[in-house]
Amino acid sequence: MPVSRRGLLAGTAVAGAALAIPGTASAAPVAASIGRRIGPDDARYQDLVTRGQNRRFVGRPDYVRVIQSPPDAVAAVQDAVRAGQRIAVRGGGHCFEDFVDSSDVEVVLDMAANTKISWDPQYRAFSIGSGAILENVYKELFFGWGVTVPGGGCLGVGVGGHFAGGGYGPLSRKYGSVVDHLYGVEVVVVDARGRARSVVATRDNEYRDLWWAHTGGGGGNFGVVVRYLMRSAGATGRTPEESLPKAPAGLLSSVLVYDWSKTTQADFHRLVRNWFGFFEQHNTPDSPYATLYAPFILTHYRASQFLLSTQLDSSVPNAAKLLADFNAAIGAGVAVQPQEIPAAGPFLHLTMDRSIGETASPTRSKYKAGYLKKGYTDAQIDAMYRGLTDTSYNGPASSILLVPYGGKVNTVPSNATASAQRDVVAKMVLAAAWEEPKQDETHIGWARKVYADIYRDTGGAPVPNATNAGSYINYPDADLADPAYNKSGVPWHDLYYLGNYPRLQQLKAKWDPRNVFQHKLSIQPPG
């Protein structure tokens, strides 16, 4: 049962050798047919400026350039810097805020054509163009070599921002974050003299610090990512098949569908508490449940139903019993009985079926999020319930999503990568979605109210403590930089980067000394 990104995150329905450029490469001439400026009079312009998946934001840049290669990107950046124009980069178009579609962005570099996926023998790593979307990455890696990366479940998301922000998905509890498999990155940077050049930074070359900045520092901070080099940390083989995790052969799955009209507050509370308790208990990488992915999609009651979607590697010993036991544990002490929809099948087929398909008709949306070290308190669960059953709010496409996390992710030191949250058990994503601009105030207001209620004891933000661990930069929320909503006194960058922010600031000053690459939540140079 494929569902749209809106459906799962916002809760409507249920839920050959690559071009290798070692070191640095200077600007090169661009072929006449590649990288041209596409302005408002060009037939392609409107499609390019409306590729974003959040219709609250539609930019009006002076022009767009479609990037297909590192020389393309170098030339495009150099032209914009010479002209003093503000640059933004679009990958898959799934940024939750207006980091690309902002009124002050004058030049958009679109990576949609930069999608090549291949094996690079020089680096003994897979080369993935920064415009590739996750669906194509999964298919090419799996069909070509039987391997995968533990990326997200939203198939249309571009790797450009997803990887740079850390990246996680259904296999992360078993294999860690995406950046734990990032060997290198090719990025176009601008020096203090305004000269653009392409740098290949790897975890073991002289530009290792720039590599580190892209292991969770987020997109749009240091330069234009052109491609990623993927090889797992600790991989010692020299062949493609030995360089990334092996994909499972098959999956078992179920969907538990709950009827809101039959669910009491006590049932809701118990279900959420059971879910948290289970993943707190089974949060080690050697757990038989390490491959279990079970997002709880808690839609607003006007959607009539909410659901728990699961998948588990079918080759795990006693997989069927493990899945049945999990479902039983979630329902323990709960009066309401769900409809259960079981499924089983080959890995890729079921992954596609259980993932979030792209929507051709994006809506308007607002997202807010948080990491959890353990389950929410009783008061926080009650706040979730109040928000989801608010009778004054008509939000059938809005939801709170709980996603299991941790496992292998937590075995990496917090400063080994820029992704600092390495002691967590889950993530929460609060999403409001709607159609009409005139409804903006209502839906954004609901999202802010519910989030503030959940985090009322910490000033309306997931301030790190025994329960909270800040938030995830790939779920950016500009409200966290606004004291009207973040009243905690803890700055937004400490929520996203914890203790890694000062180092990121130093790298910003080194690699983007002119602050060419910036947005509302961009890393700022020291001082």
Side-chain angles (χ1 to χ4, degrees), residues 61-421:
D62 295 345
Y63 62 88
V64 181
R65 289 178 75 155
V66 177
I67 305 300
Q68 295 178 309
S69 69
D72 263 6
V74 171
V77 170
Q78 191 68 78
D79 286 351
V81 169
R82 285 198 189 105
Q85 293 171 303
R86 179 78 176 273
I87 303 170
V89 184
R90 193 190 307 282
H94 291 78
C95 184
F96 291 169
E97 293 285 0
D98 63 344
F99 297 170
V100 177
D101 296 308
S102 175
S103 59
D104 60 354
V105 169
E106 298 162 297
V107 177
V108 171
L109 308 186
D110 194 291
M111 296 289 165
N114 181 35
T115 60
K116 185 176 181 180
I117 302 168
S118 57
W119 173 253
D120 187 327
Q122 176 175 351
Y123 293 104
R124 295 188 292 115
F126 287 97
S127 175
I128 301 178
S130 60
I133 63 172
L134 292 177
E135 179 173 1
N136 292 339
V137 171
Y138 297 150
K139 287 179 177 178
E140 294 210 27
L141 291 180
F142 182 71
F143 288 136
W145 298 276
V147 298
T148 192
V149 291
C154 301
L155 300 178
V157 165
V159 304
H162 181 65
F163 286 9
Y168 81 100
L171 293 175
S172 286
R173 283 167 37 82
K174 177 68 174 179
Y175 295 123
S177 297
V178 172
V179 292
D180 300 332
H181 306 272
L182 177 62
Y183 174 71
V185 59
E186 182 166 6
V187 55
V188 176
V189 296
V190 179
D191 65 20
R193 295 178 295 167
R195 183 174 68 98
R197 72 192 194 281
S198 175
V199 177
V200 177
T202 72
R203 70 166 77 105
D204 53 17
N205 76 0
E206 62 184 309
Y207 307 113
R208 185 180 185 277
D209 60 350
L210 184 60
W211 162 83
W212 186 89
H214 287 85
T215 61
N221 276 311
F222 302 97
V224 180
V225 176
V226 181
R227 63 171 177 147
Y228 292 98
L229 295 165
M230 306 302 296
R231 172 166 34 105
S232 301
T236 58
R238 304 189 66 85
T239 68
E241 293 81 2
E242 299 171 299
S243 300
L244 287 174
K246 291 289 185 184
L251 298 173
L252 293 181
S253 176
S254 69
V255 176
L256 304 182
V257 183
Y258 292 89
D259 188 332
W260 261 120
S261 68
K262 299 176 182 178
T263 304
T264 65
Q265 182 172 355
D267 281 339
F268 178 90
H269 195 107
R270 183 70 176 185
L271 284 167
V272 174
R273 176 61 63 219
N274 287 348
W275 187 92
F276 279 130
F278 186 91
F279 286 107
E280 289 174 16
Q281 183 181 354
H282 301 278
N283 197 33
T284 59
D286 58 353
S287 166
Y289 284 103
T291 64
L292 176 66
Y293 185 64
F296 214 162
I297 304 100
L298 302 166
T299 53
H300 190 268
Y301 89 99
R302 290 189 184 272
S304 301
Q305 300 171 328
F306 61 95
L307 64 87
L308 178 63
S309 175
T310 66
Q311 65 181 58
L312 179 73
D313 185 343
S314 60
S315 70
V316 172
N318 302 311
K321 183 178 186 304
L322 288 171
L323 189 57
D325 288 350
F326 168 75
N327 287 340
I330 297 301
V334 178
V336 65
Q337 296 298 306
Q339 175 191 4
E340 181 174 355
I341 306 171
F347 163 72
L348 193 62
H349 173 80
L350 202 58
T351 293
M352 295 297 107
D353 192 52
R354 284 289 181 264
S355 296
I356 307 165
E358 192 60 274
T359 175
S361 302
T363 59
R364 307 173 76 82
S365 57
K366 176 61 180 176
Y367 295 87
K368 305 177 80 65
Y371 280 107
L372 293 93
K373 297 179 181 179
K374 64 179 183 179
Y376 280 140
T377 64
D378 289 346
Q380 288 177 302
I381 296 175
D382 289 341
M384 292 169 59
Y385 181 81
R386 285 193 296 272
L388 294 172
T389 59
D390 181 355
T391 58
S392 69
Y393 175 65
N394 185 12
S398 298
S399 68
I400 296 175
L401 173 68
L402 300 177
V403 186
Y405 198 56
K408 183 71 171 180
V409 173
N410 292 352
T411 65
V412 177
S414 62
N415 61 356
T417 65
S419 297
Q421 287 86 354

